[in-house]
Amino acid sequence: MTVHPSLQTYADAWTHSIESIAELVSPLAEGEWNGRTPCPNWSVRDIVSHIIGMECEQLGDPRPIHTLPRDLFHVQSEFARYMEMQVDVRRHHTAPEMTSELEYTIIRRSRQLRNETRDPETMVRAPLGAEQTLETALRMRAFDVWVHEQDLRTALGRPGNLDSPGALVARDILLLGLPKVVAKSAGAPANSAVVLDVHGPLEFMRTVRVDAEGRGSLDVAPSLGPAATLSMDWETYVRLACGRVRPAAVADRIKTEGDQELADAILQHFAVTP
């Protein structure tokens, strides 16, 4: 147990997901590490490299001194460049090198979390030289490793853990981005409501209410007369919200009611992760 119970939920979720990832990749043959994943432009090896790199940064390790190749055309922003560094530096590592570094990193991070005594509001390292609270950092690591666990499961044909502790963390984080999607990106009219109905391993219903000034807010109470209702399974919601798939590719798994133009606009702007 960590000293602060507010961190324990995220520590448990992180542990469950990262140990699942280690179990998934440990038996892979060399060629399987190059397999494509739903995460744009990243292979199985790239995802594991990213996870190792981000955990090493939380440990306080220095970032690698490395120059990115000029032909990585998917790297279009400073944030993407920052993330790609830890990935590209490991692109020629062998399967045994990858699994051993992952296992060692998990051991180090698990020990750090077991011995964590800092206040949840302590400021710690964040990408691009920024800072964030310890609680935010651990919540985002729990979210990140669960989403990438799902990327790996899809790539390897090993579905599972859609209702794990990490899934609950992911649900709450992804829902935070929904009001902006509905009110700002999709331009839902003032004084309207949009309902999201999700079923499957995780089931929940949320209403985004748009006030007179056009600001959106999340509500657990259903709306009696929503402008639009979107229904989908949990896996589809995750894939859309994390930018892993376009709406047209999963149209058969989405049901919409009400204002079709608004529903389409919401789906076109559904991705909330960078």
Side-chain angles (χ1 to χ4, degrees), residues 19-135:
E19 288 182 351
S20 296
I21 287 172
E23 186 179 327
L24 281 170
V25 302
S26 62
L28 297 183
E30 193 68 53
E32 293 176 288
W33 285 83
N34 298 321
R36 292 181 62 183
T37 74
C39 187
N41 302 296
W42 278 1
S43 66
V44 170
R45 176 185 282 100
D46 293 342
I47 283 180
V48 176
S49 296
H50 165 71
I51 290 169
I52 291 170
M54 292 301 100
E55 299 305 335
C56 285
E57 293 194 18
Q58 290 300 304
L59 284 160
D61 294 357
R63 279 175 57 78
I65 299 172
H66 179 71
T67 301
L68 290 178
R70 293 187 177 183
D71 60 352
L72 295 178
F73 299 115
H74 62 279
V75 179
Q76 298 288 333
S77 67
E78 206 52 42
F79 182 79
R81 180 176 297 279
Y82 185 96
M83 290 299 173
E84 198 74 21
M85 196 77 74
Q86 295 278 14
V87 172
D88 192 69
V89 78
R90 294 175 173 84
R91 280 212 161 99
H92 300 293
H93 287 198
T94 64
E97 287 173 328
M98 293 299 300
T99 54
S100 61
E101 187 179 12
L102 176 62
E103 289 168 6
Y104 181 52
T105 303
I106 292 173
I107 290 170
R108 293 177 65 208
R109 274 286 274 157
S110 297
R111 183 185 299 124
Q112 182 188 42
L113 292 174
R114 281 196 307 271
N115 297 330
E116 186 59 79
T117 59
R118 292 175 293 179
D119 186 275
E121 296 303 309
T122 303
M123 301 305 292
V124 299
R125 182 177 182 174
L128 294 174
E131 287 191 329
Q132 59 191 347
T133 67
L134 175 61
E135 184 171 358

Side-chain angles (χ1 to χ4, degrees), residues 215-264:
R215 292 187 297 263
S217 61
L218 205 60
D219 190 353
V220 296
S223 171
L224 296 179
T229 299
L230 292 82
S231 303
M232 66 190 77
D233 63 274
W234 166 235
E235 185 177 6
T236 299
Y237 175 59
V238 171
R239 293 173 69 194
L240 283 170
C242 293
R244 297 319 195 241
V245 68
R246 298 295 298 163
V250 288
D252 60 326
R253 302 181 69 168
I254 304 169
K255 180 183 177 182
T256 59
E257 298 177 4
D259 185 335
Q260 192 60 49
E261 188 175 334
L262 174 59
D264 288 344

